[in-house]
Amino acid sequence: MSSATSTASLPSGLSVLTTFPDVLFIPEIVFGGLVWILVASSRVPLPITQGWVMFVSVFCFLMSTILLCLYLGGVHGGSSFWVTLDVIFQETAALFYLSAAVLEANFTYFARSLDPTFPAIYRENIAAVVFAFLATLVYVIHKVFSLLRWKSS
């Protein structure tokens, strides 16, 4: 795999799946989809908190999938605009997922006292917290390497 600092432009075609920061789209989509599924399947005693987590997971899942498909299709054409767009998206997604993961963890911690039947769905929320923090980590790593690529372009 090539590093982000050796290529200043985005890869296209199947080489997207062999370039380090861009191969992180796959775990971003997987972890984001798992957060989406777990939050959607749990009961919602606090809709505002769960709503933000749901928005973040759906937004980032769709945007990561769209960007991956655009990069696979070679739509960017080597333009530096796409490198900047990649950095902006990765920074936004990392910040959004960090806030969503913290809110989901806070909700899971305090929700036991709100709903007496909560232990039945406690494991789903714990899993959502774990996958939200994993998604945050992957987005932060992708952001760092996207910033390095943007700086060298």
Side-chain angles (χ1 to χ4, degrees), residues 7 39 54 56 102:
T7 60
V39 171
M54 193 69 173
V56 168
V102 169

Side-chain angles (χ1 to χ4, degrees), residues 31-47:
F31 293 148
L34 287 170
V35 172
W36 180 3
I37 290 167
L38 290 166
V39 171
S41 68
S42 67
R43 292 186 39 216
V44 184
L46 289 174

Side-chain angles (χ1 to χ4, degrees), residues 16-36:
V16 171
L17 301 176
T18 61
T19 308
F20 174 67
D22 301 309
V23 77
L24 292 175
F25 276 120
I26 303 302
E28 289 169 2
I29 292 169
V30 170
F31 293 148
L34 287 170
V35 172
W36 180 3

